[in-house]
Structures are given as C-alpha cells and as structure tokens.
C-alpha cells in the first residue's frame, strides 16, 4: 500500500509540474558496479530512481590460464563484465564508452531492456566515442548483457558479457553472502594449456569445440586465493550467468544442495533441493544454499570433462566448526573382498601370489620386475590418476599439481624420504605443497582400493615416466612404509 | 648536379600537389559481403588505380600546408571532431606538426571530409567500399583469398589486438605487398572509403527502419554472403559505426584514381 501511495505522489508531482519527461522527478544516483565475484550491495530504496550506468569497453591482453595469454574484449576491463544492479521501475541512463585505443566498434544488448535489440543499435559506438540511451527496467530478474556487433559470436567469444540484476519491488530475502559467477568458453588456436599469447580460432568456435570452459574469465579466477568464502551456518546466494557463446552449463556445487533455485534467472524460487541446474547460453540462474559443514565446495559444470580438462572449476571455502552429525569424515577404511569369491578367482589369486614369490626370489627375474611394475603402473594410473593429473602427468594449472618433471617427486624419490611419496596414494594428501615453484592447495583422497603391489606399480610408473627417473618402488618397500606410516597416521590429529 | 636537378623537380611537383605511387588494378567481378542478393551474384568493377601505400603523416602535412583550412584547430567540428590530428604536436607556438617518428606512419585521426579533400587535391578520390574490398581480398599470391581460412585467420589476429595508441602503428611499406603490389591494406590501420556508410544508413533503427539490424545478432549472419568471413564483417561493422566527422586513432586512408 505504501508503494501505491509513493507512486501516487510521484504521478501527482509529474502532473502538477508538467515535467517534459517523467524521470525528471526521480532521484538520481550513479550505479555501483563490481567485478566478479563481487556483487553490488542490495538496493535499500523502496521507490524508483534514475540510475546512471557508465560502462567502458576495453580491449586488452590478460591471462586465460597459467602462462596462457589472450586478448580479451571487456565491459569494464575484466571478464565477465561489471555486475549492474538496479530495481524494477528504475529508469536507467546508460553510457557506453569505447576506449580510443580499441580497434573495433562495440555496442551492448542488455536482455533486461524492453525494446529493439536490447539497446544494440542505440549504443553502436566507434572507437574513441561514447553513446547514451535510456530504458525503463520493467521486468525484474537476472539478465545477461553482451556485445551484439558483427561478428557477434566473436565479440562474445572474446569476453563481452556480464550480468544485470533487476531487483523485484519486494526484494529477495536477505542472505549472508552474495557472489557473481559467470561461465563461458574460449576458442584458442592452441590446445588447452598451450603457453603464450593464443589467438581466437574461428573454426573451433564455429565447430563449438572450445579449448577452455571457465568461470569468471580464467581457469584460476575462483581457485585458491580467488576462492569465494563463507562461514558454517551462513546462507549463500550465487548469481550465476552463462555467457556462452555456445555451451549450456549443468551448474553444480560439489558437496552441497541448492535449497532454492530461481530457474533461468526469473523471480520465482520454483524449485527446492536441487543438485544441478541448467544455465542456458545467454541465460542465468539464482541459487541459494546454507553451508552446514566446513571444507571446500567445488563449483563445476557437471558436463564433467569441462571441469577437469577445460577449466570449469571454482572453489567456495567454508570455514567453521565441524558437525559430525551432518558429515562424519571417513569412519571405516578396510579391505573388502566381495561377498562371494568364486573358485576361479581364488585360484587366480593363488597363482598370482606364487608368481610374485617366484619373481621376488629369482635374481634373474628381479631385473624384469621394473618393466612389469611399469606396465601395471600405467594401468593403475589410467584408472585412478589421469583424470586429475592428466594423460602425460601435466596436471591442471593452479588446481592439480603436475607429475611430469615435478621436483616434488624427483627429490623425494631419489632421497631417503621415499616414504613420503608412498604415503600419498595410501593416505591421500591435503594442504599447501609447492611443486616446481608453484603453490597448490587442494585435496587428494586416499586411493584406498589399491593394494600394495598396485601402489608400488603406480609409484614406479609415475617416477619413471614423462622425463622422471628413479629406482623402482618394490612391494616390500611399500609394505614396510605402510606399517611405519600407519602408526603415524593414528597419531595424526583428525580434521 | 643531376641530384640537385632531381630534387628541385620533385619539390616543384610536390608544390603542385602530391606525387603518389599508384598501382593499376585490373577490373573484374567480385562478390562483396554485403550489397548483393546472394553469394553467387557478382558485381563488376572497372579498372582503376590505387595508392601503393596509405597516406602518411608526412604526405598529409604537405596537404595541410597547402590548404590552410585543414590546419588543426581551424577545422569546424561539423567536418572533424576534436581529436582531428591530435597526435601532432605544436612547436614554439606554431601550427601542429607530426613528430619525426610519425613521418612514415600512416596518418590517422582524420575525418572522412579531410581524407576526401586530400584525395581531390592529389588528383584522385577515395576508393569505394567495393573497390577497397576487391583490392584487399588479395593475399600475397591470390587475387581473391577472402575464402582462404589461413588468410582470414591472419586478418582476425590483427583485428583482435587493440592498437596501443598512434605510437603503436608501424611504418608503411614494411610488409609484403599483396597480389596487386599494394601494401598495408591490412595490419596497420583501418581505411576510409568514399561510401563507407552506404550499406546500412540507419543511425537508430527505431526511427529509420531495421536496416542497421543487419549488423547485429542473428540478422548479421543471415544477410552476409559468406558467414565465415569474420574479417569482412568486422570491416563493415567498423565502417558503419562511423560518421563523416569522426576521427579515430587507427583510421586513415589512401586514394584511388580513375583511368
């Protein structure tokens, strides 16, 4: 009712003063714009205003992945573009500036605009010029904006997109944290991870074969120091956009469930208890969830090769006290032999044991053992390790450390602390480590399904492949280390 | 002796206008990105001559010295915006001149009106979009490489990079000439054409129909004759973002001549 009264007052004001345009009566304010992952503060006004938005287009070189450069075309200097927040009924005076050093004309199509081209024709701007147009934000919701100058696909593929949130008149419930996450793909001439300045590949873009799928403009934006954060018990709202240009995202947060999803960025929390939500190219979603336990939640596109091989990974680090009633951590770690083993399997095991004993005791065969371990190790590696560490041990920059020519490995394999290496597949590893001068802070779980022989084999394989070289790991060495380490494990504090 | 004679001959020629190195372009038929109804329709082009190199700052200085109305600061804003020749420097209170490092760089920050007047003064005219696209479609060894993926990717690489100010522009004649023997159509600057705004004339499609929409979103791809010729899309887009009085830090020109 209060709202109606205010509208009445404004209407009366307009009529009595015979203002030429209705917004002459509105209070004027400059929009607060933020770079991802930050979101401008919620709007506290309860009536419309005239909001001035100034957005500068800048073409500039930046980092797409570790050691990989790309010439980004940006709305405001970063990919994705600035987050714009206005309120339903606001009159938005939009200024688009095209930096004089830019090579190309640009414009903006805001999906929040009601009108031809979403502002595209009215904002078409030559380098070194500026344009202005005004629109009324009629429809609440979370909208994508993007450049719409020919060739449109290339302008979007080079980074020209962002989000504008038009708050409903009745705002969404307050939450503790709000973040801005936008997925998109990049089409580089070189394949994933190829270093140096990478040009745009038109053919890959047309074929929809991206080399990178990322959150917030690079493979590292939301990782380690870039991770977004929350505390146990807090509610988190993610404004999720998808700039495309081609792919639809199956947005998922590993380790939590969305309490509310405003599907496709609309105003209705039309679904609860959602695991993954689709975010269309040129579309959005708003997801909300409460974080109940500490740890690192991982944001992914659950089209999972994009996450592990193309960069669509982000982190939400939750700090605070554990609640074992919700999540216990690992309680049991024991051998499991299957409920019924048929005779042939038992016979095969007996023969294998006999074979291993013969190999152990025969000095001639001893020489062969490294080759056998290597062959077995490769098998173990491709079943357990390559998803994160890569086919050639190259790792994923900033997330999973490389194994190929990794000083961390070669130093330990050559010295007396080989046990430290044996401990990694046996018990997993977490926390900060430095590999080839780069810091990694991720979690590798214990590969508890591997037996001692498989551990020896995979360690031998890793330390003798891709330019690495070391003495093989024997089953005895693993067994001895396991016994010694088990005692230490018990003594270690549990996290 | 002979040297002095040649020098004085050149100076005399320069005083009368510009002596420009020209290249003969044999006429033929061509399918531009826009301006035809389908991709198998061709337009015929008469033979003409075109400058081997873009007009340099040095060339343009002679023009400004000969035609005072084009001295920076005296040009009405309707003919050139405030950035007209703003990379030239004033020395000792005199008129602005290019720095010596700029002599052999293509002139930029010139409006269409200034470029057009220069070419008339030099005994020619600005090339049409069709003529420009015809000559610029040539790679080093092919007359029409506009459907050659390697050639298009090479152009895209240049279009993608911002220009880092006028100091970032290279000198003319440093790169290989194309099939016709013409230099620097790509890689240094954009170039004015006589009818740069003739493909789409609308300034704002709400008022003037939907023709400019051809450049944006879906319609951009629907109306071009070669959907994969991103390089040409970018040139047409750039031309259509311009107005006659605009100047930008990477836009220059060269002249054409009727036979």
């Amino acid at each position: 009712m209060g709202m109606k009264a205010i509208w009445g007052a404004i209407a009366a004001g307009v009529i009595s003063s015979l203002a030429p345009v209705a917004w002459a009566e509105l209070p004027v304010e400059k929009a607060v714009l933020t770079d991802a992952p930050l979101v401008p503060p919620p709007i506290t006004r309860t009536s419309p205003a005239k909001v001035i938005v100034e957005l500068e287009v800048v073409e500039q070189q930046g980092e797409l992945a570790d050691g990989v450069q790309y010439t980004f075309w940006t709305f405001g200097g970063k990919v994705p573009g600035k987050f714009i927040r206005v309120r339903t009924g606001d009159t938005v005076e939009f200024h688009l500036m095209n930096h004089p050093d830019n090579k190309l004309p640009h414009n903006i199509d805001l999906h929040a605009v009601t009108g031809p081209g979403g502002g595209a024709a009215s904002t078409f701007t030559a380098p070194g010029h500026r344009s202005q147009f005004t629109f009324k934000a009629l429809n609440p919701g979370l909208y994508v904006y993007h450049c719409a100058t020919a060739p449109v696909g290339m302008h979007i593929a080079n980074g020209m997109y962002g989000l504008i949130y038009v708050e409903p008149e009745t705002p969404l419930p307050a939450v503790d944290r709000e973040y801005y996450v936008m997925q998109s793909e990049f089409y580089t001439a070189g394949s994933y991870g190829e270093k140096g300045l990478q040009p745009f590949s038109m053919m890959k873009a047309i074929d929809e074969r991206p080399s990178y799928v990322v959150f917030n403009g690079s493979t590292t934006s939301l990782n380690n120091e870039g991770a977004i954060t929350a505390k146990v018990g807090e509610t988190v709202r993610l404004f999720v956009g998808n700039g495309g240009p081609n792919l639809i995202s199956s947005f998922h947060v590993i380790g939590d469930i969305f309490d509310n999803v405003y599907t496709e960025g609309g105003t209705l929390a039309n679904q609860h208890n959602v695991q993954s939500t689709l975010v269309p190219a040129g579309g959005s979603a708003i997801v909300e969830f409460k974080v109940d336990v500490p740890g690192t939640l991982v944001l992914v596109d659950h089209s999972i090769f994009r996450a592990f091989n193309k960069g669509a990974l982000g982190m939400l680090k939750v700090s605070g006290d554990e609640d074992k009633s919700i999540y216990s951590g690992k309680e049991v770690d024991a051998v499991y032999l299957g409920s019924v083993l048929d005779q042939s399997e038992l016979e095969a095991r007996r023969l294998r044991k006999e074979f291993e004993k013969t190999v152990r005791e025969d000095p001639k065969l001893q020489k062969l053992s490294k080759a056998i371990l290597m062959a077995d190790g490769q098998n173990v590696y491709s079943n357990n390790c390559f998803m994160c560490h890569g086919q050639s041990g190259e790792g994923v920059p900033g997330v999973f450390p490389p194994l190929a020519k990794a000083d961390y490995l070669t130093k330990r394999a050559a010295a007396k602390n080989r046990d430290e290496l044996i401990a990694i597949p046996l018990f997993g590893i977490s926390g900060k480590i430095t590999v080839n001068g780069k810091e990694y802070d991720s979690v590798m779980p214990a590969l508890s399904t591997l037996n001692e022989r498989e551990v020896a084999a995979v360690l031998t394989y890793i330390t003798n492949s891709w330019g690495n070289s070391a003495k093989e790991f024997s089953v005895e060495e693993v067994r001895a280390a396991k016994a010694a380490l088990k005692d230490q494990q018990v003594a270690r504090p549990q996290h | 002796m002979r040297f002095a004679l040649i020098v004085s001959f050149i100076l005399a020629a320069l005083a009368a206008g510009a002596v420009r190195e020209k290249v003969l372009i044999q006429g033929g038929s061509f399918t531009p990105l826009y301006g035809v109804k389908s991709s198998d329709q061709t337009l015929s082009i008469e033979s003409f001559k075109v400058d081997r190199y873009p007009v340099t700052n040095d060339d343009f200085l002679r023009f400004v010295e000969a035609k005072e109305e084009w001295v920076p600061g005296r040009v009405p804003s309707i003919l050139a915006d405030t950035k007209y020749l703003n990379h030239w420097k004033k020395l000792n209170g005199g008129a602005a001149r290019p720095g010596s490092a700029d002599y052999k760089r293509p002139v930029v920050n010139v409006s269409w009106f200034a470029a057009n007047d220069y070419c008339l003064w030099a005994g020619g005219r600005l090339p049409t979009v069709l003529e420009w696209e015809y000559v610029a479609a040539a790679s080093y060894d092919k007359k029409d490489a506009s459907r050659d993926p390697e050639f298009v990717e090479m152009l895209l690489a240049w279009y993608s990079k911002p220009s880092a100010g006028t100091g970032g522009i290279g000198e003319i004649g440093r790169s290989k000439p194309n099939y016709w023997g013409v230099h620097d159509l790509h890689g240094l600057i954009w170039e004015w054409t006589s009818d740069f705004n003739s493909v789409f004339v609308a300034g704002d499609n709400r008022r003037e129909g939907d023709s400019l929409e051809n450049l944006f979103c879906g319609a951009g791809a629907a109306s071009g004759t070669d959907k994969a010729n991103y390089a040409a899309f970018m040139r047409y887009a750039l031309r259509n973002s311009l107005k006659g009085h605009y100047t930008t830090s990477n836009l220059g020109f060269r002249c054409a001549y009727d036979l």
Side-chain angles (χ1 to χ4, degrees):
Chain A
M1 307 308 123
M3 196 66 69
K4 250 184 193 161
I6 291 162
W7 274 109
I10 289 167
V14 169
I15 291 158
S16 67
S17 67
L18 293 171
V21 278
W23 61 74
E25 295 294 315
L26 296 173
V28 178
E29 61 182 55
K30 213 174 152 184
V32 178
L33 305 178
T34 57
D35 287 318
L38 302 180
V39 177
I43 291 170
T44 50
R45 276 187 283 115
T46 52
S47 61
K50 175 176 172 180
V51 182
I52 295 168
V53 176
E54 292 190 314
L55 202 51
E56 185 188 37
V57 176
V58 188
E59 301 166 1
Q60 64 183 14
Q61 204 173 302
E63 201 163 69
L64 175 57
D66 230 6
V68 182
Q69 311 295 316
Y70 194 81
T71 304
F72 296 101
W73 301 349
T74 71
F75 284 111
K78 291 259 171 65
V79 176
K82 302 274 186 191
F83 196 106
I84 305 166
R85 191 168 197 159
V86 298
R87 184 180 176 276
T88 308
D90 283 353
T91 293
V92 183
E93 183 184 292
F94 202 96
H95 299 256
L96 190 74
M97 288 91 85
N98 194 353
H99 193 278
D101 284 346
N102 289 351
K103 190 80 73 49
L104 294 162
H106 297 286
N107 64 1
I108 192 165
D109 168 356
L110 298 124
H111 291 177
V113 168
T114 305
S122 313
T123 55
F124 189 41
T125 309
H129 288 81
R130 58 186 296 162
S131 299
Q132 178 188 329
F133 86 115
T134 299
F135 69 94
K136 189 162 184 173
L138 297 176
N139 300 61
L142 180 62
Y143 298 94
V144 166
Y145 65 78
H146 62 89
C147 184
T149 299
V152 179
M154 186 172 174
H155 282 256
I156 296 176
N158 282 348
M160 301 197 76
Y161 39 75
L163 290 179
I164 174 168
Y165 181 50
V166 182
E167 280 198 8
E169 284 182 4
T170 308
L172 300 187
V175 290
D176 299 303
R177 311 263 177 173
E178 290 185 331
Y179 290 111
Y180 170 18
V181 176
M182 195 151 191
Q183 180 174 326
S184 58
E185 317 104 57
F186 287 88
Y187 299 84
T188 56
S191 51
Y192 178 87
E194 207 168 307
K195 307 277 187 227
L197 180 62
Q198 290 294 324
F200 165 74
S201 166
M202 189 181 80
M203 288 326 295
K204 280 189 188 171
I206 291 173
D207 293 347
E208 306 190 10
R209 282 188 296 118
S211 353
Y212 294 87
V213 181
V214 298
F215 293 126
N216 291 351
S218 89
T219 60
T220 53
S221 294
L222 280 177
N223 291 328
N224 300 329
E225 315 85 84
I228 51 179
T229 58
K231 293 198 179 84
V232 166
E234 286 184 332
T235 46
V236 178
R237 176 178 294 140
L238 301 181
F239 292 100
V240 185
N242 185 0
N246 290 317
L247 302 184
I248 288 169
S249 172
S250 299
F251 186 73
H252 177 82
V253 174
I254 301 175
D256 219 308
I257 295 154
F258 305 143
D259 299 324
N260 303 309
V261 177
Y262 298 77
T263 312
E264 293 164 6
T267 42
L268 187 65
N270 55 343
Q271 189 57 286
H272 305 293
N273 305 317
V274 172
Q275 56 197 306
S276 303
T277 193
L278 276 182
V279 188
S284 69
I286 303 170
V287 302
E288 295 169 350
F289 50 94
K290 183 164 173 253
V291 287
D292 296 302
V293 293
T296 300
L297 305 179
V298 183
L299 285 56
V300 294
D301 179 341
H302 215 297
S303 293
I304 209 71
F305 280 91
R306 299 176 191 166
F308 290 103
N309 297 75
K310 295 186 173 182
L313 274 179
M315 295 179 186
L316 167 58
K317 289 190 175 169
V318 182
S319 58
D321 294 331
E322 291 204 58
D323 183 345
K324 295 256 182 190
S325 72
I326 295 176
Y327 187 77
S328 72
K330 189 161 202 162
E331 290 177 318
V332 176
D333 179 357
V335 171
Y336 174 64
L337 294 176
S339 49
V340 184
L341 285 173
D342 69 24
Q343 281 310 109
S344 60
E345 173 67 9
L346 290 173
E347 178 63 10
R349 279 186 186 202
R350 195 185 60 74
L351 287 171
R352 208 177 302 143
K353 275 207 172 131
E354 207 166 276
F355 173 75
E356 279 170 15
K357 188 161 175 272
T358 320
V359 169
R360 241 185 346 256
E361 288 163 2
D362 184 339
K364 271 189 214 155
L365 287 174
Q366 282 267 303
K367 284 191 184 155
L368 272 177
S369 67
K370 184 166 180 179
I372 295 167
L373 284 168
M374 284 294 283
D376 285 359
Q378 183 170 18
N379 212 3
V380 175
Y381 186 82
S382 29
N383 286 326
N384 296 281
C385 318
F386 102 95
M387 287 82 83
C388 299
H389 291 293
Q391 198 73 62
S392 316
E394 72 274 17
V396 174
V399 188
F400 303 120
L403 304 175
K405 295 195 185 117
D407 57 357
Y408 187 92
L409 292 180
T410 46
K411 251 189 275 165
R412 287 170 175 76
K416 282 182 185 152
N417 44 359
R418 286 161 65 94
D419 284 8
E420 282 184 33
L421 294 184
I422 296 170
I424 296 174
L426 286 179
F427 305 110
I429 182 167
S430 63
K432 283 185 184 166
I433 62 166
T434 303
V435 181
N436 294 344
K438 298 239 162 67
E439 200 170 82
Y440 292 85
D441 187 4
S442 43
V443 179
M444 169 174 158
L447 300 172
S448 42
T449 57
L450 300 188
N451 63 30
E452 288 158 6
R453 192 190 147 70
E454 287 166 328
V455 169
V458 77
L459 285 170
T460 304
Y461 176 72
I462 289 168
T463 53
N464 287 281
S465 298
W466 323 300
N468 298 338
S469 161
K471 186 174 170 288
E472 74 264 34
F473 286 78
S474 69
V475 178
E476 289 74 15
E477 189 179 3
V478 171
R479 189 170 300 147
K482 191 176 179 179
L485 289 163
K486 200 113 202 185
D487 301 335
Q488 293 176 30
Q489 284 294 313
V490 174
R492 245 185 230 183
Q494 292 288 309
H495 279 291
Chain B
M1 238 338 208
R2 183 183 276 181
F3 176 71
L5 208 68
I6 292 168
V7 168
S8 61
F9 172 76
I10 290 173
L11 286 176
L14 283 172
V19 176
R20 305 203 46 80
E21 214 180 311
K22 297 158 194 165
V23 177
L24 176 70
I25 307 296
Q26 281 299 339
S29 59
F30 182 62
T31 302
L33 184 66
Y34 289 103
V36 287
K37 289 201 177 73
S38 69
S39 56
D40 49 16
Q41 191 192 340
T42 57
L43 298 179
S44 67
I45 296 161
E46 300 271 306
S47 297
F48 64 104
K49 283 186 177 176
V50 71
D51 285 341
R52 189 180 296 280
Y53 307 106
V55 173
T56 63
N57 283 291
D58 192 31
D59 298 333
F60 203 79
L61 176 62
R62 287 170 207 288
F63 167 67
V64 169
E65 282 169 353
K67 300 198 74 175
E68 290 200 333
E69 63 268 37
W70 288 109
V71 168
R74 295 191 197 171
V75 184
S77 61
I78 195 170
L79 297 182
D81 67 25
T82 53
K83 289 182 291 142
Y84 174 69
L85 294 177
N86 75 350
H87 61 294
W88 288 18
K89 303 277 175 312
K90 276 188 181 175
L91 285 176
N92 309 321
R97 296 172 58 91
S100 56
D102 281 343
Y103 280 179
K104 292 205 155 176
R105 287 179 175 145
V107 69
V108 291
N109 289 323
V110 287
S111 65
W112 179 89
F113 294 103
N116 189 54
D117 209 30
Y118 177 97
C119 287
L120 294 176
W121 174 75
R125 57 179 173 78
L126 284 171
T128 64
V129 170
L130 187 62
E131 286 169 340
W132 198 97
E133 290 286 320
Y134 180 65
V135 183
S139 61
Y140 304 133
D141 53 1
K142 254 187 253 168
K143 195 170 141 186
D144 184 356
S146 58
R147 280 168 174 74
D148 176 347
E150 264 176 52
F151 181 65
V152 174
E153 295 265 354
M154 190 186 77
L155 300 190
L156 287 188
W158 178 70
Y159 292 150
S160 298
K161 271 182 226 139
S163 47
T166 52
I169 299 173
E171 296 189 346
I172 60 158
R174 294 295 174 90
S175 61
K176 247 168 121 176
N178 75 1
Y179 169 87
W180 301 103
V182 179
H183 286 262
D184 305 321
L185 285 155
H186 307 289
L188 295 182
I189 51 162
W190 303 106
E191 296 186 12
W192 281 111
T193 51
S194 59
D195 54 344
F196 67 96
N197 55 2
S198 66
V199 178
F200 318 105
V201 288
D204 184 326
N205 69 318
R206 283 182 206 224
R207 278 200 308 274
E208 303 173 54
D210 281 330
S211 53
L212 194 63
E213 287 292 292
N214 285 332
L215 267 183
F216 307 136
C217 283
S223 56
T225 55
D226 179 5
K227 290 166 184 45
N229 196 346
Y230 279 23
F233 273 120
M234 289 162 106
R235 289 195 295 272
Y236 279 92
L238 186 277
R239 289 184 194 121
N240 282 277
S241 74
L242 302 171
K243 292 195 166 85
H245 68 288
Y246 277 19
T247 71
T248 86
S249 59
N250 43 37
L251 176 63
F253 67 103
R254 73 181 71 217
C255 307
Y257 310 85
D258 293 323
L259 295 184

